[in-house]
């Protein structure tokens, strides 16, 4: 989000990205909202935000129309899923070397059942990226324009 002007992000996308960062730092892990652990919500919202940001970046830098809307959607989804997967690997490495505790590099309150946790996180990442790309696809198809920086 520090680069929102150079990425030429729309205000709604910048707000969603900032919301995801703020939400992560509120340390709500261990809480349950609408029947789902906060960790799952966090993974969903984080990859949704990443998908929106990457989509807008590629859309903005695709002036010569070298990439189709479908290609931009797929690139955005894959980048968001890749980022989510890297986070899972970082969590695993932290747990492997640091053991139990709170925070990104430890296994704590928001985590349960090693494989179960990783798989739920990856599924929420996938759903978040898919929803983010779908939102952007509809915005493009419907011709909705948002104010930028």
């Amino acid at each position: 989000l520090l680069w929102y002007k150079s990425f030429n992000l729309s205000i709604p996308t910048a707000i969603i990205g900032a919301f995801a960062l703020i939400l992560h730092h509120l340390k709500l892990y261990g809480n349950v909202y609408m029947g789902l652990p906060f960790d799952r919500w966090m993974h969903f919202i984080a990859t949704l935000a990443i998908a929106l940001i990457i989509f807008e970046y590629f859309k903005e830098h695709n002036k010569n129309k070298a990439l189709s809307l479908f290609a931009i959607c797929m690139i955005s989804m894959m980048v968001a899923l890749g980022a989510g997967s890297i986070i899972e690997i970082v969590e695993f490495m932290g747990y492997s070397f640091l053991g139990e505790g709170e925070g990104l590099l430890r296994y704590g309150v928001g985590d349960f059942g090693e494989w179960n946790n990783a798989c739920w996180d990856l599924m929420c990442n996938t759903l978040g990226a898919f929803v983010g790309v779908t939102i952007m696809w509809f915005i493009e198809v419907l011709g909705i324009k948002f104010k930028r920086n």
Side-chain angles (χ1 to χ4, degrees), residues 2-146:
L2 300 173
W3 312 291
Y4 105 95
K5 284 191 177 189
S6 63
F7 276 30
N8 199 24
L9 296 179
S10 66
I11 303 234
T13 294
I15 289 170
I16 291 168
F19 174 72
L21 287 173
I22 291 166
L23 194 61
H24 174 62
H25 291 292
L26 289 177
K27 301 189 186 271
L28 298 172
Y29 295 94
N31 295 333
V32 175
Y33 301 96
M34 292 185 280
L36 293 173
F38 173 75
D39 184 51
R40 292 183 193 166
W41 286 110
M42 189 65 242
H43 279 272
F44 173 84
I45 292 165
T47 51
L48 183 143
I50 292 168
L52 297 179
I53 291 166
I54 298 302
F55 184 98
E56 285 197 4
Y57 176 81
F58 275 97
K59 188 68 180 160
E60 181 63 25
H61 291 83
N62 189 35
K63 298 295 186 200
N64 63 358
K65 305 289 185 210
L67 296 171
S68 68
L69 179 58
F70 178 77
I72 293 172
C73 287
M74 289 298 99
I75 290 168
S76 301
M77 183 137 175
M78 293 303 129
V79 169
L81 291 175
S85 296
I86 289 169
I87 290 168
E88 282 306 300
I89 292 168
V90 169
E91 286 179 0
F92 172 74
M93 296 303 290
Y95 169 63
S96 296
F97 293 108
L98 302 174
E100 293 188 19
E102 291 306 312
L104 174 69
L105 297 177
R106 296 190 181 264
Y107 190 83
V109 174
D111 306 314
F112 57 94
E114 296 170 12
W115 280 104
N116 189 359
N117 180 62
C119 289
W120 274 111
D121 289 352
L122 292 173
M123 288 190 307
C124 291
N125 289 345
T126 303
L127 186 59
F130 179 77
V131 169
V133 166
T134 302
I135 289 168
M136 295 310 283
W137 182 83
F138 274 111
I139 287 171
E140 283 298 313
V141 168
L142 296 174
I144 298 170
K145 301 290 181 208
F146 291 106

